[in-house]
Amino acid sequence: MQILRNIAEVKDFLILNQGKEIGFVPTMGALHAGHESLIKKSVQDNEVSIVSVFVNPTQFLAGEDLEKYPRDEAHDIEVAKAAGATAIFLPDVSQMYPSDISIKAPSALASILEGATRPGHFDGVCTILAKFFNIIRPMRAYFGKKDTQQLIIVQNLVKSLFFDIEIVPCDIIRAGDGLALSSRNSYLDESELIEACKLYRALVKAKALVSAGTFSSDVIKAEMAKVLNPLKIDYIEICDRELNSINQIQIDKSIILIAAYVGKTRLIDNLWL
Amino acid sequence: MQILRNIAEVKDFLILNQGKEIGFVPTMGALHAGHESLIKKSVQDNEVSIVSVFVNPTQFLAGEDLEKYPRDEAHDIEVAKAAGATAIFLPDVSQMYPSDISIKAPSALASILEGATRPGHFDGVCTILAKFFNIIRPMRAYFGKKDTQQLIIVQNLVKSLFFDIEIVPCDIIRAGDGLALSSRNSYLDESELIEACKLYRALVKAKALVSAGTFSSDVIKAEMAKVLNPLKIDYIEICDRELNSINQIQIDKSIILIAAYVGKTRLIDNLWL
């Protein structure tokens, strides 16, 4: 696996691999089994797979965890290599941001859910991805459903700015107890890790209700809130696949999304059904 | 010359021309000899030249001339064809804007000069160009120095979002009396056309002063204002090639820019020296 630290090295790598199908897995590092599954999917689908590791400052709000966000380059290189990546790209901030030009994410999609709590977050996500897409010019890019709103906004970014890239959604990877894997899980202590499973359990509860014939969003949300108790809930939302709020679950057209605090750590999870 | 009216037709055209060097000339139509010179330059440099004609709504501010901006498709097709273009792309607004995702131009460059009078204008310019760049994927794109600030912002756009495109600056084309060609000159009546030449004459005056050893920006600007009198001046600015204001002209590193009103029509002109 090649280790690329600047854009010139990426360009050289791409010239050597001209004509090949390129898969791209953008990450902020702290790679876990969730990222690993994205990389493996890319390796399966493409001749060349490039993983980027970049803790993107513009998608963190003031007061968020930019400084303490977990970083472990040696570990990331290990994981990417083991998963079969052809190259890992680890640029620094000054290279990626020669000016403050930015992308403003689509307002309807970016102002709700995560965007309501983290205004500007998706602008930062779209900006850095547009840069990576132009540098790497992948045929396919891989995104986890864990960040479902991000996935849907990236699909919009690609469609609206006409990037010729297939966005491949990938299933959430969970720990044995159901907790969705996230780099931010490392902030949780032992008792918080147990509490954090309530997000998954609330989604399981919702699924059981739907299976039993309950489709009312209000009823399902109320039952989920009981499971989440006493966690501080940011939102429980039931939407269609374009993130429009819906009153009734429609099978194969719906997403249930949660954001909640476990101690000081804000976690998200969701279920497509 | 092929006439392309939607993105699918452009994609088909590009597949047929795969591997060829593509030059791109983005325009808002009402093609004049200025555009013609850009197209001819592209035809000279590239195997394939694509001209776009699109009056981009997002670069007009409320109250500006979006509605009355001159449109003459038959004429534009004629001019592009005569200049040797391989294809002309005439999309409609709904195709180009599937969502309100947008690009925010670099703030320092986009808030001065034209940006001070037309806030948001360059955001619209960057947004539509990013879309065209991704659809057409040209090797080179051609921009007139007439819109010098636009040219410099587009260079920044390409550098900061990592578009692999060479931006080719092209000289201003002037009428016999020196008036820089512009689609908006069509708003001028006969007496205004005569008044409008004062912009060019003020630049000639500046050049003469510099040739005679006057380098002070303040002195030059004052003399230019006299030539422009009684036109309403929006700005006279003397900058370096990154649009930083300078107190002293430096040969081969400076630009003098003017915006002034002739009647109700706002005109711009500039001189690189």
Side-chain angles (χ1 to χ4, degrees):
Chain A
M1 185 183 71
Q2 288 220 33
I3 297 172
L4 310 169
R5 295 202 177 270
N6 60 57
I7 294 160
E9 286 172 3
V10 176
K11 293 286 164 204
D12 288 345
F13 174 85
L14 291 174
I15 288 168
L16 287 173
N17 288 282
Q18 217 156 16
K20 292 189 187 161
E21 295 191 2
I22 293 173
F24 173 48
V25 183
T27 82
M28 298 213 301
L31 301 186
H32 51 62
H35 301 108
E36 211 182 307
S37 77
L38 302 181
I39 301 170
K40 285 182 173 166
K41 178 93 176 93
S42 174
V43 170
Q44 206 169 56
D45 294 350
N46 303 278
E47 294 165 273
V48 165
S49 289
I50 303 177
V51 177
S52 67
V53 170
F54 183 67
V55 181
N56 174 37
T58 65
Q59 70 190 70
F60 288 79
L61 276 72
E64 286 189 348
D65 55 344
L66 173 61
E67 294 312 319
K68 73 164 184 173
Y69 195 86
R71 290 165 170 87
D72 187 347
E73 192 180 288
H75 164 83
D76 293 340
I77 291 171
E78 201 61 38
V79 172
K81 189 176 173 184
T86 324
I88 189 166
F89 178 35
L90 307 123
D92 60 26
V93 174
S94 65
Q95 274 184 78
M96 296 307 293
Y97 286 98
S99 83
D100 69 348
I101 204 165
S102 64
I103 293 184
K104 238 187 119 9
S107 50
L109 287 173
S111 60
I112 55 173
L113 303 168
E114 291 303 289
T117 307
R118 309 182 69 191
H121 167 69
F122 291 112
D123 300 343
V125 170
C126 288
T127 300
I128 195 64
L129 286 174
K131 292 171 187 254
F132 278 129
F133 288 167
N134 278 342
I135 292 169
I136 293 173
R137 290 204 172 197
M139 173 175 274
R140 301 180 187 91
Y142 295 79
F143 290 86
K145 285 185 178 173
K146 166 70 164 44
D147 295 301
T148 273
Q149 188 176 6
Q150 170 177 282
L151 167 65
I152 291 167
I153 288 172
V154 171
Q155 286 171 327
N156 190 294
L157 166 74
V158 164
K159 181 180 142 204
S160 300
L161 289 188
F162 304 99
F163 285 100
D164 193 13
I165 299 172
E166 181 192 347
I167 300 302
V168 183
C170 300
D171 287 338
I172 296 174
I173 304 297
R174 299 180 180 281
D177 55 10
L179 178 63
L181 296 193
S182 163
S183 302
R184 289 192 171 98
N185 291 352
S186 68
Y187 300 156
L188 303 173
D189 65 27
E190 229 166 293
S191 68
E192 287 174 334
L193 275 169
I194 294 167
E195 279 297 279
C197 294
K198 288 185 173 170
L199 277 79
Y200 178 61
R201 268 190 244 130
L203 293 169
V204 169
K205 174 74 183 178
K207 195 173 178 181
L209 286 165
V210 172
S211 297
T214 301
F215 298 101
S216 155
S217 296
D218 284 346
V219 173
I220 293 168
K221 286 198 256 184
E223 290 298 318
M224 290 174 70
K226 286 183 203 164
V227 178
L228 288 166
N229 187 52
L231 300 183
K232 191 184 146 204
I233 297 168
D234 187 353
Y235 59 76
I236 303 173
E237 196 52 82
I238 300 184
C239 302
D240 65 17
R241 301 283 167 94
E242 274 103 43
L243 296 185
N244 302 300
S245 199
I246 51 176
N247 296 324
Q248 293 279 324
I249 292 263
Q250 283 193 283
I251 298 296
D252 289 336
K253 293 184 178 169
S254 307
I255 311 175
I256 306 179
L257 304 106
I258 307 175
Y261 288 87
V262 177
K264 287 179 176 171
T265 305
R266 190 172 172 281
L267 298 176
I268 58 174
D269 202 345
N270 69 82
L271 181 72
W272 294 45
L273 85 177
Chain B
M1 185 182 72
Q2 288 220 32
I3 297 172
L4 311 169
R5 294 201 179 269
N6 60 58
I7 293 159
E9 286 171 5
V10 176
K11 293 286 164 202
D12 288 346
F13 174 87
L14 291 174
I15 288 169
L16 287 172
N17 289 282
Q18 217 154 16
K20 291 188 186 160
E21 295 191 1
I22 294 173
F24 173 46
V25 183
T27 82
M28 298 215 301
L31 301 186
H32 50 63
H35 302 107
E36 211 182 306
S37 76
L38 302 181
I39 301 170
K40 285 182 173 166
K41 179 93 176 91
S42 174
V43 169
Q44 207 168 56
D45 294 349
N46 303 279
E47 295 165 274
V48 165
S49 289
I50 303 177
V51 178
S52 67
V53 171
F54 183 67
V55 181
N56 175 35
T58 63
Q59 72 189 72
F60 289 80
L61 276 72
E64 286 190 350
D65 56 344
L66 173 60
E67 294 312 320
K68 73 166 185 173
Y69 195 86
R71 289 163 169 89
D72 187 347
E73 191 180 289
H75 164 84
D76 293 340
I77 291 171
E78 201 62 37
V79 172
K81 189 175 172 181
T86 324
I88 188 166
F89 177 34
L90 307 125
D92 60 26
V93 173
S94 65
Q95 275 184 77
M96 297 307 292
Y97 286 98
S99 83
D100 69 347
I101 204 165
S102 64
I103 293 183
K104 241 190 114 12
S107 51
L109 288 172
S111 59
I112 56 173
L113 302 167
E114 292 302 289
T117 307
R118 310 182 70 191
H121 166 69
F122 291 111
D123 298 343
V125 170
C126 288
T127 301
I128 194 65
L129 286 174
K131 291 171 188 257
F132 279 129
F133 289 167
N134 277 343
I135 293 168
I136 293 172
R137 291 202 170 197
M139 173 174 274
R140 301 181 187 90
Y142 295 78
F143 290 85
K145 285 185 178 173
K146 166 70 164 45
D147 295 302
T148 273
Q149 189 175 6
Q150 170 177 282
L151 167 64
I152 290 167
I153 288 172
V154 171
Q155 286 171 327
N156 190 294
L157 166 73
V158 164
K159 181 180 141 206
S160 300
L161 289 188
F162 305 98
F163 285 100
D164 192 14
I165 298 172
E166 181 192 347
I167 300 302
V168 183
C170 300
D171 286 338
I172 296 175
I173 304 297
R174 299 181 179 281
D177 55 10
L179 178 63
L181 296 193
S182 162
S183 302
R184 289 191 171 97
N185 291 351
S186 67
Y187 301 155
L188 303 173
D189 67 26
E190 228 166 296
S191 69
E192 287 173 335
L193 275 168
I194 294 166
E195 282 296 279
C197 294
K198 287 184 174 170
L199 277 78
Y200 177 62
R201 268 191 243 127
L203 293 170
V204 170
K205 176 73 184 177
K207 195 173 179 179
L209 286 166
V210 172
S211 297
T214 302
F215 298 100
S216 155
S217 296
D218 284 346
V219 173
I220 293 168
K221 287 198 256 185
E223 290 298 319
M224 289 174 71
K226 286 183 201 162
V227 178
L228 288 167
N229 187 51
L231 301 183
K232 189 185 147 204
I233 297 167
D234 185 354
Y235 59 77
I236 303 173
E237 197 51 81
I238 300 183
C239 302
D240 65 17
R241 300 284 166 94
E242 275 103 42
L243 297 185
N244 302 300
S245 200
I246 52 177
N247 296 325
Q248 294 278 325
I249 292 263
Q250 283 194 283
I251 299 296
D252 289 336
K253 292 184 179 172
S254 307
I255 311 174
I256 306 178
L257 304 107
I258 307 176
Y261 288 87
V262 178
K264 287 180 178 171
T265 305
R266 190 170 173 284
L267 297 177
I268 58 172
D269 202 347
N270 68 82
L271 181 71
W272 293 45
L273 85 177

